[in-house]
Amino acid sequence: MAKFLQDKTPEVFDLEKVSKKYPTAYEESMNTVLFQECVRYNGLLAEMKVGLIKVQKALVGEVVMSQDLEKMATSIFNNQVPAMWTNDGEGKGFLSQKPLASWIQDCNDRIDFLVNWFDNGTPEVFWVSGFFFPQAFFTGTQQNYARKHTIAVDQISFDHIVMNKMTYKDVKAKPESGCYIYGLYLEGCRWDYDE
């Protein structure tokens, strides 16, 4: 199972290429958001790669089975995300309560979103629940709006318009101001499309 996870773990981002293609720019705060997301995911991916290699070696006796490696092996066996990958104060991971099999797929989807951003330019619509640190995305969105309209960023707030008649796949262009997002969930309630 550890070998399977190692094979499923994406490569780290080349931060030099990211910063060259998307340099820090006054008029586009999303460049900074992309770079910061890549940095955060690189920390997680590096931790995963090293840990998975070590746990495989420990399981065949090539290295000593430390307490941390034993915990990792047990977590993997139990379909749980190892503590060193989670964001519970111990690890470097994103917030999630998914079991390991779903978590690794979610991690890959998140990385694919960033790779697509890097390869094809700033997206027309953002997968908000795919961000490692969504607060930076919201701040970047406010900064872009404030700079475009020459308003102090601390004088603006968000307004949300729910687009009932379209999906994120229907979006073909960025809005004139603000941004389109998808992947925002309500908890403990449901959306009333009529009201």
mmCIF file of all heavy atoms in Angstrom, residues 49-65:
data_model
loop_
_atom_site.group_PDB
_atom_site.id
_atom_site.type_symbol
_atom_site.label_atom_id
_atom_site.label_comp_id
_atom_site.label_asym_id
_atom_site.label_seq_id
_atom_site.Cartn_x
_atom_site.Cartn_y
_atom_site.Cartn_z
ATOM 1 N N LYS A 49 6.659 11.980 0.402
ATOM 2 C CA LYS A 49 7.638 11.200 -0.353
ATOM 3 C C LYS A 49 8.679 10.577 0.572
ATOM 4 O O LYS A 49 8.939 9.371 0.501
ATOM 5 C CB LYS A 49 8.315 12.080 -1.399
ATOM 6 C CG LYS A 49 9.275 11.336 -2.290
ATOM 7 C CD LYS A 49 9.800 12.207 -3.407
ATOM 8 C CE LYS A 49 10.629 11.368 -4.346
ATOM 9 N NZ LYS A 49 10.791 11.959 -5.643
ATOM 10 N N VAL A 50 9.253 11.370 1.453
ATOM 11 C CA VAL A 50 10.281 10.868 2.372
ATOM 12 C C VAL A 50 9.691 9.810 3.301
ATOM 13 O O VAL A 50 10.273 8.734 3.495
ATOM 14 C CB VAL A 50 10.896 12.037 3.185
ATOM 15 C CG1 VAL A 50 11.747 11.525 4.332
ATOM 16 C CG2 VAL A 50 11.709 12.939 2.271
ATOM 17 N N GLY A 51 8.526 10.087 3.866
ATOM 18 C CA GLY A 51 7.901 9.152 4.798
ATOM 19 C C GLY A 51 7.545 7.831 4.149
ATOM 20 O O GLY A 51 7.755 6.760 4.747
ATOM 21 N N LEU A 52 7.016 7.866 2.936
ATOM 22 C CA LEU A 52 6.621 6.631 2.259
ATOM 23 C C LEU A 52 7.827 5.772 1.899
ATOM 24 O O LEU A 52 7.772 4.540 1.986
ATOM 25 C CB LEU A 52 5.780 6.957 1.022
ATOM 26 C CG LEU A 52 4.371 7.458 1.334
ATOM 27 C CD1 LEU A 52 3.728 8.067 0.100
ATOM 28 C CD2 LEU A 52 3.510 6.340 1.906
ATOM 29 N N ILE A 53 8.904 6.400 1.504
ATOM 30 C CA ILE A 53 10.132 5.640 1.208
ATOM 31 C C ILE A 53 10.665 5.004 2.488
ATOM 32 O O ILE A 53 11.017 3.816 2.518
ATOM 33 C CB ILE A 53 11.189 6.553 0.538
ATOM 34 C CG1 ILE A 53 10.742 6.918 -0.881
ATOM 35 C CG2 ILE A 53 12.551 5.882 0.520
ATOM 36 C CD1 ILE A 53 11.575 7.999 -1.541
ATOM 37 N N LYS A 54 10.701 5.781 3.576
ATOM 38 C CA LYS A 54 11.223 5.258 4.846
ATOM 39 C C LYS A 54 10.367 4.120 5.386
ATOM 40 O O LYS A 54 10.894 3.131 5.888
ATOM 41 C CB LYS A 54 11.316 6.375 5.890
ATOM 42 C CG LYS A 54 12.467 7.306 5.704
ATOM 43 C CD LYS A 54 12.514 8.319 6.839
ATOM 44 C CE LYS A 54 13.667 9.267 6.700
ATOM 45 N NZ LYS A 54 13.677 10.276 7.790
ATOM 46 N N VAL A 55 9.052 4.257 5.305
ATOM 47 C CA VAL A 55 8.190 3.218 5.867
ATOM 48 C C VAL A 55 8.331 1.920 5.079
ATOM 49 O O VAL A 55 8.317 0.826 5.659
ATOM 50 C CB VAL A 55 6.723 3.680 5.979
ATOM 51 C CG1 VAL A 55 5.974 3.591 4.665
ATOM 52 C CG2 VAL A 55 5.985 2.894 7.045
ATOM 53 N N GLN A 56 8.510 2.015 3.773
ATOM 54 C CA GLN A 56 8.733 0.806 2.977
ATOM 55 C C GLN A 56 10.046 0.128 3.359
ATOM 56 O O GLN A 56 10.107 -1.095 3.479
ATOM 57 C CB GLN A 56 8.743 1.151 1.480
ATOM 58 C CG GLN A 56 7.382 1.527 0.935
ATOM 59 C CD GLN A 56 7.471 2.004 -0.493
ATOM 60 O OE1 GLN A 56 7.662 1.186 -1.385
ATOM 61 N NE2 GLN A 56 7.343 3.305 -0.701
ATOM 62 N N LYS A 57 11.083 0.927 3.567
ATOM 63 C CA LYS A 57 12.375 0.367 3.979
ATOM 64 C C LYS A 57 12.279 -0.254 5.368
ATOM 65 O O LYS A 57 12.871 -1.305 5.626
ATOM 66 C CB LYS A 57 13.454 1.447 3.942
ATOM 67 C CG LYS A 57 13.858 1.841 2.544
ATOM 68 C CD LYS A 57 14.978 2.869 2.546
ATOM 69 C CE LYS A 57 15.413 3.169 1.117
ATOM 70 N NZ LYS A 57 16.567 4.074 1.079
ATOM 71 N N ALA A 58 11.534 0.381 6.253
ATOM 72 C CA ALA A 58 11.384 -0.157 7.614
ATOM 73 C C ALA A 58 10.618 -1.469 7.601
ATOM 74 O O ALA A 58 10.928 -2.389 8.369
ATOM 75 C CB ALA A 58 10.681 0.870 8.497
ATOM 76 N N LEU A 59 9.629 -1.579 6.738
ATOM 77 C CA LEU A 59 8.827 -2.799 6.678
ATOM 78 C C LEU A 59 9.625 -4.015 6.191
ATOM 79 O O LEU A 59 9.295 -5.147 6.528
ATOM 80 C CB LEU A 59 7.602 -2.589 5.788
ATOM 81 C CG LEU A 59 6.517 -1.674 6.379
ATOM 82 C CD1 LEU A 59 5.470 -1.322 5.327
ATOM 83 C CD2 LEU A 59 5.859 -2.313 7.594
ATOM 84 N N VAL A 60 10.685 -3.777 5.403
ATOM 85 C CA VAL A 60 11.519 -4.894 4.947
ATOM 86 C C VAL A 60 12.829 -4.993 5.726
ATOM 87 O O VAL A 60 13.693 -5.793 5.393
ATOM 88 C CB VAL A 60 11.797 -4.817 3.422
ATOM 89 C CG1 VAL A 60 10.519 -4.957 2.636
ATOM 90 C CG2 VAL A 60 12.549 -3.551 3.054
ATOM 91 N N GLY A 61 12.986 -4.176 6.763
ATOM 92 C CA GLY A 61 14.151 -4.269 7.636
ATOM 93 C C GLY A 61 15.386 -3.537 7.172
ATOM 94 O O GLY A 61 16.468 -3.754 7.710
ATOM 95 N N GLU A 62 15.274 -2.665 6.194
ATOM 96 C CA GLU A 62 16.442 -1.921 5.715
ATOM 97 C C GLU A 62 16.793 -0.744 6.615
ATOM 98 O O GLU A 62 17.935 -0.290 6.621
ATOM 99 C CB GLU A 62 16.214 -1.436 4.284
ATOM 100 C CG GLU A 62 16.157 -2.549 3.276
ATOM 101 C CD GLU A 62 15.915 -2.051 1.862
ATOM 102 O OE1 GLU A 62 16.015 -0.831 1.608
ATOM 103 O OE2 GLU A 62 15.613 -2.893 0.994
ATOM 104 N N VAL A 63 15.816 -0.215 7.345
ATOM 105 C CA VAL A 63 16.045 0.830 8.352
ATOM 106 C C VAL A 63 15.260 0.450 9.602
ATOM 107 O O VAL A 63 14.359 -0.382 9.561
ATOM 108 C CB VAL A 63 15.625 2.242 7.862
ATOM 109 C CG1 VAL A 63 16.424 2.671 6.651
ATOM 110 C CG2 VAL A 63 14.146 2.314 7.581
ATOM 111 N N VAL A 64 15.626 1.069 10.708
ATOM 112 C CA VAL A 64 14.958 0.781 11.984
ATOM 113 C C VAL A 64 13.528 1.323 11.946
ATOM 114 O O VAL A 64 13.290 2.440 11.499
ATOM 115 C CB VAL A 64 15.733 1.422 13.158
ATOM 116 C CG1 VAL A 64 14.996 1.221 14.473
ATOM 117 C CG2 VAL A 64 17.136 0.846 13.240
ATOM 118 N N MET A 65 12.604 0.527 12.410
ATOM 119 C CA MET A 65 11.190 0.937 12.500
ATOM 120 C C MET A 65 11.031 1.843 13.717
ATOM 121 O O MET A 65 10.924 1.374 14.838
ATOM 122 C CB MET A 65 10.282 -0.284 12.605
ATOM 123 C CG MET A 65 8.802 0.041 12.737
ATOM 124 S SD MET A 65 8.057 0.782 11.282
ATOM 125 C CE MET A 65 7.707 -0.658 10.302
#
